[in-house]
Amino acid sequence: MPDLPDSIPAIDVDMSKLVKLIDTKLKNGSAPGPSGWTGELLGTLVGDSECSQGLAVLIEDMINGNFGDQAREYLMASRLIPLGKEGGGVRPIAINETFYKLATLYVLSLVKHILPDIFEPIQLGLGARGGAERAVHIVQTALETMGDETVLLKTDIRNAFNSRRRDQMMKVLFEHPELAPIWRMAYWAYKHSSSLLVFENGQYKTTIASAQGVKQGDVLGAFLYALSVHPFYQNCTPPGEDKVRKVAIMDDLNLVGAFKPVFEAFDRFEASLVETGLEMRRDKCRLLWPHSKPIPEELQIEADKRQIKIETGAMTTLELWWDLIKQKL
């Protein structure tokens, strides 16, 4: 891990903001972490002035990374839930402690206003207003207006969140001084491994160490991942070139354009993943040929060379929307 920069101002927590986050983000019936605390319980806690002051101190110490390793072990522990994925496989979801969730929501709220400048117009899956809907309409419009050789190539990375190198994620984060309010907490949360608690039929079974990548289910982790791969999305096409439209929903990058520049962008993107911990899963990548005419022989050859399956047929806006949403289920 790179060293935490020294010149980071301490953050003071505004209790009114905490209460608002609890009311709007945490009191939603979400499952609790290992301790059993929920957003609804925190909502009751802040009704008492002394308890609310204690909560503010707790969150402030987490944000500023003031807790030692023993306290960190308790606060960073998560319940591990294995969810089945469409088409087979398991998606490991970490249910974090509610106190940690609140701290991450708070630090991200401090930089929310600058995220569009960092991520848009490519990344629409992280804090973008109407992100999924905008992504669908951008893709649909590109398919209909970019010519009769236009294709849609959906990329897929194997176990993306759990495989990304943490040292590289921190390095990219520290290169953004405008994101300094996040630095201390991100470093504190991911500088060491943390515990993933596995239960079976309500009974504790074992502990797995989360030692690489970020936890799926962690809002801060999703942000760190998206930030670290965003340069790969940007640089897979030459600066200023508009032959390929790029739209990302978190770890899923969609490329739209004539098939030759799309394949060139795909190759650049895949090459950028070397030594990052990430690996393209070509058997899960899909290329859509949305035209009534036959698939060009050259397109078939290039797709076969990369072991990418071609699907045919036009897709409606609704079908595109549902297809993009399924990527995150």
Side-chain angles (χ1 to χ4, degrees):
M1 295 285 278
D3 293 332
L4 181 68
D6 295 327
S7 57
I8 311 175
I11 296 175
D12 297 322
V13 167
D14 183 335
M15 191 61 214
S16 63
K17 289 184 178 180
L18 275 187
V19 172
K20 184 176 180 180
L21 287 171
I22 292 171
D23 288 339
T24 59
K25 301 292 186 180
L26 289 183
K27 292 169 63 175
N28 55 10
S30 295
S35 72
W37 277 89
T38 64
E40 285 72 20
L41 291 175
L42 289 188
T44 301
L45 195 69
V46 296
D48 178 88
S49 60
E50 189 171 354
C51 290
S52 63
Q53 291 174 16
L55 178 62
V57 171
L58 173 64
I59 300 303
E60 190 170 293
D61 280 340
M62 293 177 68
I63 290 173
N64 290 296
N66 293 334
F67 283 114
D69 290 342
Q70 184 176 6
R72 177 186 174 278
E73 175 63 22
Y74 291 116
L75 292 166
M76 286 300 300
S78 309
R79 292 175 62 99
L80 184 63
I81 307 295
L83 297 180
K85 297 174 66 174
E86 183 178 352
V90 172
R91 189 186 306 279
I93 301 298
I95 308 299
N96 296 304
E97 282 291 352
T98 299
F99 300 105
Y100 173 75
K101 291 181 185 178
L102 180 56
T104 59
L105 290 171
Y106 191 92
V107 292
L108 288 173
S109 72
L110 299 178
V111 299
K112 181 180 179 180
H113 62 288
I114 62 175
L115 297 188
D117 293 335
I118 296 175
F119 289 115
E120 296 187 29
I122 300 174
Q123 177 61 261
L124 298 177
L126 191 78
R129 188 180 295 274
E133 293 85 352
R134 287 169 57 196
V136 167
H137 288 293
I138 291 171
V139 170
Q140 185 73 54
T141 300
L143 287 172
E144 294 175 356
T145 62
M146 294 185 72
D148 58 5
E149 289 191 344
T150 302
V151 296
L152 166 61
L153 176 53
K154 300 171 181 247
T155 66
D156 187 272
I157 297 176
R158 187 187 307 275
N159 197 21
F161 287 97
N162 296 298
S163 301
R164 185 71 171 104
R165 283 178 49 178
R166 291 185 178 181
D167 60 324
Q168 295 182 2
M169 286 192 290
M170 288 299 153
K171 182 177 182 296
V172 174
L173 176 65
F174 296 157
E175 290 172 351
H176 287 268
E178 70 275 24
L179 298 175
I182 296 178
W183 288 0
R184 288 185 187 273
M185 182 163 189
Y187 187 79
W188 177 80
Y190 283 101
K191 65 179 178 179
H192 301 310
S193 63
S194 57
S195 296
L196 298 170
L197 308 181
V198 181
F199 291 78
E200 183 179 351
N201 298 323
Q203 299 296 315
Y204 168 77
K205 298 295 290 186
T206 188
T207 297
I208 299 174
S210 172
Q212 180 164 307
V214 295
K215 299 176 184 178
Q216 286 189 262
D218 178 6
V219 177
L220 180 60
F223 169 82
L224 294 173
Y225 177 89
L227 182 70
S228 74
V229 298
H230 195 64
F232 306 152
Y233 297 167
Q234 292 175 310
N235 298 330
C236 69
T237 57
E241 182 184 281
D242 60 358
K243 295 180 181 179
V244 176
R245 192 70 50 83
K246 300 174 289 188
V247 180
I249 301 293
M250 293 309 299
D251 57 318
D252 297 304
L253 175 64
N254 301 276
L255 304 170
V256 188
F259 66 84
K260 290 182 180 179
V262 162
F263 278 132
E264 291 172 359
F266 174 84
D267 292 341
R268 292 192 195 96
F269 178 47
E270 185 176 35
S272 69
L273 303 182
V274 176
E275 297 184 354
T276 65
L278 301 176
E279 177 188 359
M280 190 75 75
R281 189 171 181 180
R282 294 190 179 192
D283 62 316
K284 290 290 186 179
C285 295
R286 297 165 50 206
L287 187 140
L288 173 67
W289 175 254
H291 309 289
S292 58
K293 63 182 181 179
I295 299 172
E297 181 179 358
E298 185 179 2
L299 168 58
Q300 188 67 63
I301 292 172
E302 293 298 322
D304 290 343
K305 185 190 304 182
R306 296 168 177 82
Q307 301 175 319
I308 295 177
K309 180 182 177 181
I310 299 179
E311 297 182 1
T312 59
M315 295 185 74
T316 66
T317 300
L318 181 60
E319 288 171 330
L320 274 172
W321 177 83
W322 177 238
D323 203 50
L324 283 170
I325 292 300
K326 284 194 296 183
Q327 294 177 19
K328 309 316 306 168
L329 295 179

